[in-house]
């Protein structure tokens, strides 16, 4: 795996893409089984891979779903702690749709597989009502607001976790 994910003595740099999958006014979110925070599904881009190729690969690897990638929705500069170092992440969020709705459960919770930096672990996927996003811990924390402006074209934001 050749993820675009760099560690230096003092920092981590991460290049990630995420797929916004909305169905029946619910958004698919993920969270590690040992964590409380939700995020939009996706993963690190590998060298030589387009953003769309990354999303297709990640959705297939993690939940066995075939997707179609369409419009770029959000461009994010995200700063947060990665272990004991600060991380600077560039994350591009795309609108995605399922090619075959029968490939994943369309309600409730289901489990997928995640691999990062040689570690493998389980990750839970949830369908969360867009109206209820402000009631859960979702990262970046401005996702509920961004979803209210989802059809206004590409949105750029900077998110700094304290």
């Amino acid at each position: 795996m050749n993820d675009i994910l760099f560690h230096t003595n003092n920092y981590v740099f991460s290049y990630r893409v995420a797929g916004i999958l909305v169905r029946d006014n619910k958004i698919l979110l993920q969270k590690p089984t040992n964590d409380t925070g939700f995020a939009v599904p996706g993963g690190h881009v590998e060298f030589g891979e387009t953003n769309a190729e990354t999303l297709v690969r990640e959705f297939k690897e993690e939940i066995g779903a075939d997707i179609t990638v369409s419009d770029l929705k959000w461009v994010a500069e995200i700063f947060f702690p990665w272990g004991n170092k600060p991380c600077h992440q560039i994350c591009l969020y795309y609108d995605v749709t399922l090619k075959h709705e029968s490939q994943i459960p369309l309600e409730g919770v289901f489990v997928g597989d995640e691999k990062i930096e040689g570690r493998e672990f389980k990750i839970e996927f949830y369908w969360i009502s867009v109206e209820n996003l402000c009631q859960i811990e979702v990262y970046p924390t401005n996702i509920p607001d961004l979803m209210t402006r989802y059809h206004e074209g590409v949105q750029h934001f900077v998110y700094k976790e304290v």
Side-chain angles (χ1 to χ4, degrees):
M1 190 181 315
N2 291 307
D3 289 347
I4 302 177
L5 176 62
F6 297 97
H7 291 266
T8 69
N9 288 338
N10 299 315
Y11 294 94
V12 176
F13 175 78
S14 164
Y15 175 28
R16 183 177 188 271
V17 291
I20 305 164
L21 179 57
V22 178
R23 185 179 183 283
D24 295 333
N25 207 37
K26 293 181 182 175
I27 184 172
L28 184 66
L29 296 178
Q30 69 179 33
K31 75 176 195 65
T33 56
N34 63 346
D35 199 350
T36 58
F38 291 87
V40 178
H44 288 98
V45 177
E46 292 185 1
F47 284 102
E49 194 174 50
T50 67
N51 294 337
E53 289 168 342
T54 298
L55 283 171
V56 167
R57 175 181 54 77
E58 288 286 345
F59 272 76
K60 190 66 170 177
E61 287 175 358
E62 292 179 2
I63 59 175
D66 295 307
I67 61 166
T68 300
V69 180
S70 56
D71 297 335
L72 175 65
K73 300 306 282 183
W74 308 327
V75 175
E77 300 174 62
I78 303 173
F79 300 86
F80 64 97
W82 183 299
N84 60 355
K85 296 179 183 177
C87 180
H88 180 164
Q89 181 178 83
I90 301 299
C91 188
L92 304 177
Y93 293 80
Y94 290 84
D95 190 39
V96 301
T97 54
L98 292 171
K99 286 187 178 181
H100 310 285
E101 289 194 345
S102 62
Q103 289 182 313
I104 64 170
L106 298 177
E107 55 186 54
V109 179
F110 58 99
V111 177
D113 297 304
E114 175 71 283
K115 296 174 193 161
I116 189 166
E117 297 187 310
R119 297 186 329 255
E120 295 183 23
F121 54 94
K122 296 294 183 188
I123 194 160
E124 296 172 338
F125 291 84
Y126 294 75
W127 289 100
I128 305 291
S129 169
V130 172
E131 296 87 34
N132 293 335
L133 284 173
C134 58
Q135 299 171 13
I136 64 169
E137 184 180 351
V138 61
Y139 294 99
T141 57
N142 60 334
I143 296 286
D145 177 57
L146 289 165
M147 287 302 295
T148 66
R149 297 179 283 125
Y150 194 66
H151 299 290
E152 294 181 12
V154 178
Q155 305 286 315
H156 168 259
F157 67 90
V158 176
Y159 173 80
K160 292 187 177 185
E161 196 172 302
V162 186

